Amino acid sequence: MRASCRRLFSVSAVTLRPKPLNPPRVATFTTKTMALHPAQDGAKLIFAPAGASADPSVPGQAAQFLKAETRGGLRRSDLDPDSPITQFHKWFTDACQPETGISHPETCTLSTAQLPSGRVSSRMVYMKELDPKGFVIYSNFGTSGKARDLFGSEDGSSTGNPWASLVFWWEPLERQVRVEGRAERLTREESQAYFDTRVRGSRLGAWSSKQSAVLHPDPADPDDDGRRQLDKWVKESEQRFEGEEKIPVPDFWGGLRIVPERVEFWQGRQNRLHDRFVYDRVHQDGGEDKWTLERLSP
């Protein structure tokens, strides 16, 4: 099992080297090629999927989800009857198998909502740990949009909304998991334990970046687009911790646990008649919480 998969119940140092991205390619198509109805603005840049036929006027069809058909799809008996955490761990283990080709199964979308406006923000993050309480990520919670949405802002533009969601999508398995719950900060000691596993450059980067702050270009350098300001902050952090191997975790940086109230397991099926099962937490006065498990219509 890969290192990223082992991190569910223990942390370990892993360096991820992203592959360089090719320049984006934008194709333009006529309305006849791309849609069955006229485009209001003259032409669509993208209408997916494009026609697969030799006749460009024939629209394409979205691919079918067929991997679960031969085994009868997803059934209630396939799922853990008591715990979505246990069930997630099983599906995550499946996603970690080399033959799936899923390079980073811990990748997920974190969504938060700003109050009182209700404006929603989403971003891709790595789930670093899973424990009996919930799903853990690490990030900047001082200046980031996540911090504004979850904990409020000094200027009063957001009052703080602890509700958040995670979405995992494992296309080769035609599986999706949706998590909804309340966010809570990990203790400094827990965050330090993970922080110590990061490479030195990443630890210095956490100290250096005022996440989501505007980087202003150097007016004396016409080629600078603001990156020079970030490089300056990094140099300041390097000087601050020069010769020190034990770097403390910043107060504004650390772990966030999404404690689930609702977890949905989605298995793709033919003709968009997908299998969906949802766990809902039932709070017990003076006792351990229980989970209900129901099938949802696709």
Side-chain angles (χ1 to χ4, degrees), residues 185-253:
R185 287 288 301 270
L186 268 63
T187 66
R188 182 179 180 86
E189 290 73 23
E190 290 174 304
S191 296
Q192 185 70 59
Y194 169 72
F195 195 67
D196 290 342
T197 70
R198 292 165 66 98
V199 298
R200 182 180 179 82
S202 292
R203 285 178 283 161
L204 293 176
W207 273 101
S208 305
S209 176
K210 300 173 178 60
Q211 193 173 95
S212 299
V214 174
L215 294 171
H216 297 283
D218 183 348
D221 184 356
D223 295 327
D224 178 45
D225 58 6
R227 180 75 187 195
R228 177 171 291 183
Q229 176 67 70
L230 179 60
D231 293 340
K232 178 178 180 291
W233 292 342
V234 171
K235 289 181 180 179
E236 290 172 351
S237 295
E238 291 173 341
Q239 294 171 355
R240 176 177 180 178
F241 297 106
E242 185 176 3
E244 297 184 33
E245 182 54 36
K246 184 68 173 180
I247 300 175
V249 63
D251 291 336
F252 55 81
W253 195 97

Side-chain angles (χ1 to χ4, degrees), residues 110-169:
L110 168 66
S111 296
T112 56
Q114 185 177 357
L115 293 180
S117 69
R119 185 170 179 172
V120 177
S121 298
S122 298
R123 71 287 289 165
M124 303 303 295
V125 298
Y126 283 139
M127 178 192 69
K128 292 296 186 179
E129 297 160 15
L130 176 71
D131 61 31
K133 292 183 179 180
F135 303 76
V136 178
I137 68 166
Y138 289 88
S139 186
N140 179 305
F141 294 105
T143 60
S144 67
K146 297 183 288 295
R148 174 204 62 210
D149 293 353
L150 294 169
F151 308 119
S153 56
E154 293 182 358
D155 63 5
S157 62
S158 178
T159 58
N161 173 21
W163 288 95
S165 70
L166 298 171
V167 179
F168 297 83
W169 169 237

Side-chain angles (χ1 to χ4, degrees), residues 64-84:
Q64 290 286 337
F65 295 104
L66 301 174
K67 295 197 175 193
E69 292 298 317
T70 57
R71 59 178 183 271
L74 181 66
R75 297 174 292 268
R76 183 188 295 266
S77 58
D78 298 325
L79 301 172
D80 187 277
D82 301 315
S83 171

Side-chain angles (χ1 to χ4, degrees), residues 7 13 23 32 43 53 62 74 102-103 130 143 152 158 175 179 193 203 233 243-244 254 273:
R7 284 204 303 271
K32 181 179 178 181
S53 169
L74 181 66
I102 301 173
S103 57
L130 176 71
T143 60
S158 178
R175 285 177 174 176
V179 179
R203 285 178 283 161
W233 292 342
E244 297 184 33
L273 299 176

